[in-house]
Amino acid sequence: MKDFNGTYGGTAGHSLVSGYKFSTPDRDNDAYSTHYTVDYEGAWWHFSNSNLNGRYKNTTDKKSIWWYSLKADYRGMNFTRMMIRES
């Protein structure tokens, strides 16, 4: 899989799809008719298979923090870390 820089490496799988706009509660930019930012309670690139701006919930609720390719489900995660590297 390719990420925003053209390469991917790691063990968590790839659940962030590039090419889509970031959606916020006041600006619905996702590719769906449903306003996922409101439904998932967090701003994100909602065409992706992830939601890192969700709430910490120990559940398989899509309102929680989840990264689908990690466990092939919507299992809530207790923390995430996004890091940016200079190219």
Side-chain angles (χ1 to χ4, degrees), residues 3-56:
D3 65 8
F4 291 101
N5 293 322
T7 60
Y8 168 73
T11 59
H14 197 300
S15 286
L16 187 61
V17 178
S18 62
Y20 292 93
K21 295 181 178 181
F22 193 82
S23 288
T24 61
D26 62 337
R27 177 98 33 170
D28 184 14
N29 291 321
D30 58 53
Y32 302 103
S33 58
T34 302
H35 195 349
Y36 281 99
T37 300
V38 173
D39 292 349
Y40 290 178
E41 299 177 354
W44 193 246
W45 296 272
H46 285 292
F47 191 77
S48 301
N49 288 320
S50 59
N51 183 19
L52 298 187
N53 282 338
R55 294 184 287 155
Y56 169 64

Side-chain angles (χ1 to χ4, degrees), residues 35-83:
H35 195 349
Y36 281 99
T37 300
V38 173
D39 292 349
Y40 290 178
E41 299 177 354
W44 193 246
W45 296 272
H46 285 292
F47 191 77
S48 301
N49 288 320
S50 59
N51 183 19
L52 298 187
N53 282 338
R55 294 184 287 155
Y56 169 64
K57 295 171 69 176
N58 190 14
T59 181
T60 55
D61 183 348
K62 285 190 176 183
K63 293 180 182 181
S64 65
I65 301 169
W66 53 273
W67 189 265
Y68 188 83
S69 16
L70 185 63
K71 299 284 185 180
D73 64 14
Y74 303 101
R75 191 175 314 186
M77 301 167 67
N78 61 355
F79 78 95
T80 62
R81 180 183 320 167
M82 294 182 69
M83 301 183 338

